[in-house]
Amino acid sequence: MVQTRTSNELAQDADAVSKEGIALAGTAKKIAAEANQKADKANEISERALAVGSDQTVYHCRCAYDGDAGKVVVVNESPNKATDVTVVFRFQDVTLADARQDVVAGLGELALDAPLAADYLARDAAELRRAAAAEG
C-alpha cells in the first residue's frame, strides 16, 4: 500500500514535470521560429549589401530644375537600374532638396521637392538684376 501510494505520487510528479516540459517545448518552438525569421531577414540584408557592394556599374545622371513644379528632377541616363539611390542637393551648407529611393529605373527619373531651390534662384536672380542695374 505504501509503495503503491509512493508510486502514485511519483507518477503525479512525473506527469506535472512532463506537462511543464511540453509547455517549455512549445515556448522553445516559438522562440526558434522567431530566430529563424530574424536569420532569414539578416540573410536578405547581407545578400543585398553584398550585391550593392559588388556593383561596379558607372551611372551617369543629369538634373534639371522645374520651376513651375518646384522640383529638381534627376534622370538616370544609364540603361541600368540604380538601386539604393540617395540624392542630396546642397548650396552653401544648406540642403535644398534630398530624396532616397530603392530603385531608379534605367533612363528613369527621380523628382525631388525643392521649394528652397526656388528661393535661392529668386535671390540669385534679384542679385543679378541689381548688379546689371548698377552697371547700366
Side-chain angles (χ1 to χ4, degrees):
M1 233 16 191
V2 172
Q3 287 180 344
T4 302
R5 187 175 65 197
T6 303
S7 232
N8 284 340
E9 288 173 357
L10 289 173
Q12 287 174 348
D13 289 346
D15 186 51
V17 168
S18 173
K19 287 178 181 175
E20 276 184 45
I22 289 170
L24 289 174
T27 302
K29 184 177 177 182
K30 288 178 186 175
I31 291 170
E34 289 176 16
N36 284 337
Q37 288 176 344
K38 289 179 181 180
D40 288 344
K41 187 67 175 174
N43 284 337
E44 287 176 26
I45 292 168
S46 176
E47 287 172 7
R48 187 169 182 190
L50 182 61
V52 168
S54 63
D55 182 4
Q56 298 300 312
T57 304
V58 176
Y59 297 95
H60 294 280
C61 297
R62 66 178 164 82
C63 65
Y65 180 70
D66 181 348
D68 294 333
K71 294 185 180 291
V72 173
V73 179
V74 178
V75 178
N76 176 9
E77 291 190 325
S78 169
N80 301 311
K81 74 177 179 181
T83 57
D84 292 327
V85 177
T86 300
V87 178
V88 179
F89 282 94
R90 296 183 57 84
F91 179 71
Q92 296 178 348
D93 297 328
V94 176
T95 299
L96 301 178
D98 66 342
R100 186 193 175 292
Q101 191 163 315
D102 288 335
V103 176
V104 175
L107 308 174
E109 294 182 353
L110 173 60
L112 295 81
D113 288 325
L116 286 177
D119 295 343
Y120 275 89
L121 290 171
R123 187 180 314 146
D124 287 349
E127 288 176 16
L128 288 173
R129 283 192 296 274
R130 277 193 296 265
E135 288 177 9

